[in-house]
């Protein structure tokens, strides 16, 4: 891949094998009164793909933002790969986030004036890290972007843009890839491709993935799902089926 240095080869060393993500009693309140997350505890092991579901306004995005260091909980603790992320000042949190966390949005958030390749390497350049050309080459192949590196985002389909966003979020080999409604803007077939990709990243590359979705069929592609209601985890399901999840969400709507 042009413009990138040669493969440096080392995999992330982690002698402790701590869970990829740990939340302990995470609470988020606004204006000192409005509790949006209420003592949420969660552990996600390395290589696991977790879906987060729940009614609109239940706190899913807030949970993702607190877990990924985009926001700081009011109380409780967040650890990523064993490193404490909560309670740090904004600068330290940003540095940790750049190195250890990937985030994918429904709206891709690619830089329109940059090529795909420049978009992929931008976070690395921002954090002053050396691009691992071998890794990025694998990534580009895996997400099916080889041959499209010179294009600008507007010259890609929605599915290709989301694949580029996923590749960008994995460029620094993060401990956890967070995704908030990554398939929300895609048609069914393209969404299925992106979900297959996320599942394979977990199964084959041991990439931990935490994804918020409204779609029970999308959540059923994960290894596990938790259902959030009123800022708490209402249910946790291993090997969820779309029917199971749909029933739980309907039951919540009736409460
Ligand atoms: N910055 C903020 N200030 C005050 N309240 C907020 C703020 N951000 C979110 N909230 C409130 O927190 C609650 C949860 O919001 P959140 O965005 O986490 O929900 P969600 O489950 O992601 O919903 P959706 O499915 O619609 O995306 C909502 O009641 C929302 O109004
Ligand atoms: Mg949301």
């Amino acid at each position: 891949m042009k413009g990138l240095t040669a493969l440096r080869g080392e995999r992330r060393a982690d002698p402790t094998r701590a869970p990829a993500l740990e939340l302990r009693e995470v609470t988020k309140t606004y204006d000192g009164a409005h509790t949006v997350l209420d003592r949420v505890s969660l552990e996600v092991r390395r290589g696991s793909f977790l879906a987060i579901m729940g009614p609109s306004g239940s706190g899913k995005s807030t949970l993702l933002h607190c877990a990924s260091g985009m926001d700081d909980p009011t109380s409780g603790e967040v650890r990523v790969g064993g490193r404490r992320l909560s309670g740090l000042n904004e600068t330290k949190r940003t540095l940790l986030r750049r190195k250890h966390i990937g985030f994918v949005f429904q709206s891709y958030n690619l830089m329109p004036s940059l090529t795909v390749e420049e978009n992929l390497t931008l976070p690395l350049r921002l954090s002053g890290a050396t691009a691992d050309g071998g890794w990025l080459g694998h990534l580009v192949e895996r997400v099916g972007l080889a041959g499209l590196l010179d294009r600008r985002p507007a010259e890609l389909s929605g599915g290709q843009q989301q694949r580029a966003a996923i590749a960008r979020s994995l460029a620094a080999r993060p401990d956890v890839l967070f995704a908030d409604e990554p398939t929300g803007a895609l048609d069914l077939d393209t969404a299925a491709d992106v979900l297959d990709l996320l599942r394979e990243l977990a199964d084959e590359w041991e990439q931990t993935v935490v994804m918020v979705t409204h779609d029970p069929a999308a959540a059923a592609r994960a290894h596990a799902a938790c259902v959030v209601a009123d800022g708490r985890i209402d249910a946790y399901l291993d090997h969820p089926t779309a029917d199971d999840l749909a029933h739980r969400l309907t039951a919540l709507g009736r409460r």
Side-chain angles (χ1 to χ4, degrees):
M1 193 179 166
K2 73 179 165 60
L4 297 169
T5 60
L7 175 63
R8 285 187 299 152
E10 81 275 22
R11 286 289 303 179
R12 196 186 321 110
D14 179 15
T16 63
R17 297 297 283 174
L21 176 68
E22 294 167 274
L23 273 66
R24 296 268 170 266
E25 303 262 311
V26 167
T27 294
K28 182 75 181 174
T29 56
Y30 287 108
D31 309 321
H34 181 36
T35 301
V36 174
L37 288 181
D38 186 9
R39 288 163 290 150
V40 171
S41 294
L42 189 62
E43 206 171 284
V44 185
R45 73 181 153 64
R46 218 163 270 278
S48 151
F49 181 7
L50 174 73
I52 297 175
M53 300 204 75
S56 185
S58 56
K60 304 180 296 296
S61 293
T62 308
L63 175 57
L64 222 58
H65 294 164
C66 287
S68 63
M70 278 167 60
D71 202 350
D72 204 31
T74 310
S75 63
E77 188 171 283
V78 176
R79 284 181 180 271
V80 170
R83 300 168 201 87
R84 190 179 167 133
L85 186 63
S86 50
L88 300 176
N89 67 35
E90 183 97 34
T91 312
K92 285 192 175 151
R93 192 148 44 87
T94 302
L95 289 175
L96 256 178
R97 211 173 66 220
R98 281 198 188 135
K99 225 170 153 185
H100 300 291
I101 286 166
F103 207 105
V104 172
F105 303 86
Q106 176 173 336
S107 49
Y108 326 130
N109 290 13
L110 297 167
M111 299 289 285
S113 60
L114 301 183
T115 64
V116 169
E117 180 172 348
E118 288 163 346
N119 265 286
L120 295 193
T121 54
L122 180 64
L124 293 172
R125 281 182 279 131
L126 283 176
S127 62
T130 315
D132 178 336
W135 169 247
L136 285 171
H138 282 311
L139 208 48
V140 163
E141 284 292 330
R142 179 61 201 85
V143 304
L145 288 174
L148 301 175
L149 292 174
D150 289 332
R151 297 219 193 154
R152 313 230 172 242
E155 297 163 343
L156 300 179
S157 70
Q160 288 166 339
Q161 287 187 61
Q162 194 56 299
R163 286 165 172 277
I166 291 170
R168 177 184 58 180
S169 74
L170 296 178
R173 301 186 175 193
D175 288 274
V176 187
L177 168 59
F178 292 94
D180 198 353
E181 297 278 0
T183 57
L186 302 175
D187 65 54
L188 278 180
D189 285 347
T190 315
D193 282 348
V194 167
L195 291 164
D196 285 347
L197 171 62
L198 294 176
R199 174 72 187 226
E200 284 168 30
L201 289 171
D203 285 344
E204 292 166 24
W205 287 11
E206 233 196 355
Q207 175 64 54
T208 312
V209 181
V210 178
M211 169 184 78
V212 165
T213 179
H214 276 110
D215 177 6
R221 297 291 289 128
H223 297 130
C226 59
V227 180
V228 177
D230 296 328
R232 308 204 66 170
I233 294 183
D234 187 78
Y236 185 94
L237 291 86
D238 273 319
H239 312 295
T241 68
D243 278 352
D244 248 6
L245 289 164
H247 284 132
R248 280 178 189 270
L249 290 167
T250 311
L252 277 178
R254 282 198 296 262
R255 270 211 319 226

